[in-house]
Amino acid sequence: MIRYYVRVSTFEQKIDRQLIAYDKADFIYIDKMTGVSRDRPELKRLLNDLCEDDTVVVKSVDRLSRSTLDLLEICEKIKSANAHLKILDLNIDLSSPIGECVLTILGAVAQIERTTIKERTREGIAIAKNLGKYTGRKAGAIALKSPDSIERFKRLYRAGLSKSELAREFNVTRPTIYNWIKTLKRRRIIK
């Protein structure tokens, strides 16, 4: 079986580029969350579904992980399942020692890139604050201020909607939904 893993960092980002890049998959697993998080449901499902001689396909190394340690652990899980890893942007044999070395280096580059992006974002926010142009979070952070919206959220949450469905329903990101749930549980509004 060919198992294609697709990941974007936020719910708003599009997966089209990755889907167009490969059309031979038997199964497609899609996560819309940071590549640093170890808790990616679709990646976990993919790794649990792996069988001998399966091939895991990703568009690029940073789609699989933005952490070198996690990347190597994921690759080890693939290897221990006697499965294979194919990275579309690379044309190297990942089962060879040189291939493993290149993969490790590229994983480190992806991790450095993520750290650099975070630093630039922090610097940009600090500059914008000093200029009075940064006003904080967008509407998603305050969307549950009205009693009507809280009641609607409670009703949908109790109905068992997934975090992704709730995010779509309220037009916010999944991390915002997790924050809302945490806040409402702390306030004892939901269980």
Side-chain angles (χ1 to χ4, degrees):
M1 293 286 163
I2 298 175
R3 302 177 187 278
Y4 189 34
Y5 181 69
V6 173
R7 185 191 64 78
V8 290
S9 298
T10 66
F11 191 76
E12 294 82 17
Q13 290 178 322
K14 304 285 186 226
I15 58 173
D16 302 349
R17 182 181 68 87
Q18 292 176 67
L19 292 177
I20 291 169
Y22 193 74
D23 64 356
K24 297 173 183 71
D26 297 304
F27 298 98
I28 299 175
Y29 302 79
I30 301 170
D31 276 320
K32 290 193 171 191
M33 58 195 315
T34 179
V36 173
S37 172
R38 288 176 172 235
D39 190 27
R40 290 182 271 156
E42 288 298 292
L43 178 61
K44 283 182 178 179
R45 191 167 70 89
L46 180 153
L47 294 172
N48 286 334
D49 291 350
L50 273 180
C51 297
E52 188 173 343
D53 289 327
D54 280 358
T55 300
V56 176
V57 178
V58 292
K59 172 81 170 92
S60 59
V61 173
D62 64 342
R63 298 302 86 203
L64 196 54
S65 181
R66 289 252 188 205
S67 161
T68 309
L69 179 61
D70 283 346
L71 176 66
L72 296 176
E73 287 176 3
I74 292 165
C75 290
E76 188 56 39
K77 287 179 182 175
I78 294 169
K79 197 178 197 180
S80 68
N82 291 317
H84 313 282
L85 174 62
K86 178 178 182 177
I87 301 172
L88 298 176
D89 290 352
L90 301 176
N91 191 18
I92 57 170
D93 180 2
L94 298 171
S95 63
S96 72
I98 291 174
E100 287 182 6
C101 178
V102 170
L103 183 67
T104 304
I105 291 168
L106 291 173
V109 169
Q111 184 172 329
I112 290 168
E113 180 184 22
R114 181 182 180 277
T115 303
T116 304
I117 289 168
K118 282 175 62 177
E119 287 172 5
R120 287 182 184 152
T121 301
R122 264 188 250 124
E123 290 170 359
I125 289 172
I127 291 168
K129 280 182 178 179
N130 287 337
L131 296 172
K133 294 182 178 181
Y134 183 77
T135 57
R137 288 183 173 245
K138 300 283 186 251
I142 59 170
L144 283 185
K145 292 283 184 184
S146 77
D148 290 341
S149 62
I150 291 173
E151 284 305 313
R152 182 169 164 250
F153 184 83
K154 280 173 33 180
R155 188 174 63 253
L156 295 174
Y157 178 76
R158 286 183 184 143
L161 265 69
S162 71
K163 310 300 186 286
S164 296
E165 291 168 329
L166 288 167
R168 279 191 294 275
E169 187 68 32
F170 286 87
N171 197 27
V172 295
T173 63
R174 272 195 355 203
T176 298
I177 295 297
Y178 283 103
N179 286 336
W180 289 356
I181 292 169
K182 184 178 172 183
T183 300
L184 294 175
K185 282 182 177 180
R186 190 174 59 242
R187 293 180 188 170
R188 299 181 192 271
I189 294 173
I190 61 173
K191 294 181 181 185

